[in-house]
Amino acid sequence: MASDRSNPDDFTAPLKRLLLAILVLCLGGIFLVWRIDSPRVERFRAHVIDAVVPRMDWAMAPVTGTVRLFRDFQSYQRLHEQNQELRRELRQMTAWKEAALQLEQENARLRDLNNVQLDPRLTYITAVVLADSGSPFRQSALINVGSRDGIVDGWATMDGIGLVGRISGVGNNTSRVILLTDASSRIPAEIQPSGQRALVVGDNTAAPPIDFLENPDLVRPGDRIVTSGDGEVFPPGLLIGQVAQDPGGRLRVRLSADYERLEFLRVLRDHGAHRVSGPSSLILPEVPPGALSEAEESPAPRGGR
């Protein structure tokens, strides 16, 4: 059977082998020329490099572009790492900023406590507020001083500016402070400059009302309210707040103490005040035990001539 001479493999296979042999010979010749250590060959190599290399920029463009792309990727990776590091540092600085602001506010409140001018006869203890009870039925706070520090029931407590409340319940290491806003709080007060006497009555709101006012016509919103010292429970002249008027027309107290941020309290040592033995002693004078029986036994005087 005759062979099919129209098959293209019969022509391309010998051509491929010939081209491969020529390529191997050329590469071998270039290798030998590049390895020969001779001045003439060295000059030949220099001429070849000068003639070929400057015209090979188009061939090196992909390689150069690939190298640049790789370097740009490395630069982007470094920028990403630096960005993440900067973000971490920014979060840390934000936390430090919040801590610095809290310390600045705490320092300002402590400076306020030290700068308030009080009666020279009064001394005080600075206490830290441990807990705050802001329930609708009770307004009180717990501080970290007690009977070991000489705390007595009924002593007044202040923050950096105004009156906060009174001590009601003393333990060995802690004490309970009844705030002015508590429903059981009754503070004898004086309204300046009119000199009107009244009671600041707590009702579990942020602005306690003013009751038992002698002459309301002499009182204006914005007037200053201080303790009157009546009943000898609180020292006179302690700042309570300012007069305000609610939408219903009732006079209330805009308290000077910052009840939203009670962290430190000043407990005033008032050794001249009476000890509080019951709720009524905040308003009524104490009656000796024998006085009531003598008043009951003595007959009432009869009128007439």
Side-chain angles (χ1 to χ4, degrees), residues 73-184:
F73 178 77
Q74 288 182 334
S75 300
Y76 174 77
Q77 185 177 6
R78 287 194 297 268
L79 288 176
H80 179 70
E81 294 176 353
Q82 292 176 0
N83 190 15
Q84 294 298 325
E85 183 67 23
L86 290 175
R87 288 179 182 273
R88 286 192 294 269
E89 293 180 358
L90 181 59
R91 287 194 294 267
Q92 293 178 356
M93 291 180 66
T94 303
W96 293 342
K97 179 183 177 182
E98 292 297 329
L101 289 176
Q102 293 178 3
L103 290 175
E104 183 179 2
Q105 294 173 358
E106 180 178 328
N107 193 18
R109 285 191 289 271
L110 289 175
R111 287 199 304 267
D112 290 338
L113 286 174
N114 290 328
N115 293 333
V116 173
Q117 298 296 327
L118 299 175
D119 190 337
R121 294 172 298 177
L122 295 176
T123 58
Y124 60 87
I125 299 175
T126 300
V128 177
V129 177
L130 300 178
D132 184 9
S133 173
S135 67
F137 306 102
R138 187 174 180 84
Q139 299 285 328
S140 63
L142 190 69
I143 57 177
N144 67 338
V145 292
S147 58
R148 65 174 184 178
D149 304 292
I151 303 300
V152 176
D153 273 332
W155 279 1
T157 59
M158 301 183 65
D159 71 346
I161 300 177
L163 186 67
V164 172
R166 59 181 172 84
I167 299 294
S168 177
V170 180
N172 186 32
N173 300 320
T174 58
S175 300
R176 175 72 61 180
V177 177
I178 297 297
L179 306 181
L180 297 184
T181 55
D182 189 81
S184 63

Side-chain angles (χ1 to χ4, degrees), residues 22-34:
I22 294 172
L23 180 62
V24 171
L25 291 174
C26 291
L27 293 177
I30 293 173
F31 177 76
L32 292 175
V33 169
W34 239 254

